[in-house]
Amino acid sequence: SDVYKRQATVTVTDASAPTPDVASLADITDECEVSALTAPTATDNCGGVVTVTNDATLPITTQGTTVVTWTYEDENGNTSTQTQNVVINDITNPVAICQDITVSLDASGIASWSAADINNGSTDNCGIQSVSIDNTTFDCNDVPKLVLSGVIDGPLSGGVPKAVELYVLSDI
């Protein structure tokens, strides 16, 4: 019986990407912002280290849904991805706080003011985006009519702005 010896080289390669540990990532929700994300995990078929990264720019403050893509990479450069929704939905109304002001008519019979003149510390859980009024001047013809109305709005359109109305009660 003859015995033959041959030498062969067997190369084992890892061509399989890491597998996410959960099939679907849960949505992350907040009213104002998401400033940190918890990295999900994945398993590699060869048992090596899996590096996890994402494409998010933090903090996420944009009203609505931002899709974050997570990338899992094993030690051999194989990658897989998974997406996660970050939902920002401001549902808390701003609190409008106004103060009384006294204005005097000038020589032309006109008085004026700004939204800052009547704002007295209005607040919103996500910060005040704007304080505005629709009329910044009045004259004798406006007494005792509605002088102005305004809106105090938070930074996100999902919240309901608070309206403010001021009246002139008498001619001074």
Side-chain angles (χ1 to χ4, degrees):
S1 90
D2 293 331
V3 176
Y4 295 97
K5 291 186 178 183
R6 299 274 184 219
Q7 188 174 10
T9 301
V10 176
T11 304
V12 177
T13 60
D14 176 10
S16 297
T19 303
D21 290 339
V22 294
S24 179
L25 297 173
D27 290 353
I28 298 171
T29 59
D30 198 278
E31 283 199 57
C32 301
E33 75 174 28
V34 171
S35 57
L37 297 169
T38 301
T41 57
T43 304
D44 185 47
N45 63 324
C46 292
V49 174
V50 175
T51 302
V52 182
T53 58
N54 68 62
D55 64 352
T57 301
L58 297 174
I60 298 171
T61 58
T62 303
Q63 174 75 14
T65 301
T66 299
V67 178
V68 175
T69 301
W70 292 94
T71 302
Y72 309 103
E73 183 174 1
D74 68 17
E75 293 174 332
N76 293 303
N78 299 307
T79 62
S80 60
T81 60
Q82 195 171 31
T83 59
Q84 184 172 37
N85 293 325
V86 176
V87 181
I88 304 296
N89 185 20
D90 181 4
I91 58 171
T92 301
N93 292 334
V95 177
I97 303 171
C98 297
Q99 63 185 347
D100 294 337
I101 62 170
T102 301
V103 294
S104 299
L105 298 176
D106 64 14
S108 301
I110 297 173
S112 63
W113 57 83
S114 70
D117 295 329
I118 63 165
N119 184 24
N120 193 25
S122 301
T123 62
D124 184 74
N125 63 317
C126 296
I128 298 292
Q129 177 183 0
S130 65
V131 178
S132 63
I133 56 177
D134 67 350
N135 186 0
T136 59
T137 61
F138 78 98
D139 61 28
C140 293
N141 295 324
D142 293 312
V143 178
K145 300 175 187 173
L146 170 68
V147 174
L148 64 100
S149 64
V151 173
I152 297 176
D153 194 6
L156 306 175
S157 61
V160 178
K162 290 287 188 179
V164 177
E165 294 182 346
L166 299 178
Y167 295 84
V168 172
L169 300 176
S170 64
D171 188 359
I172 298 177

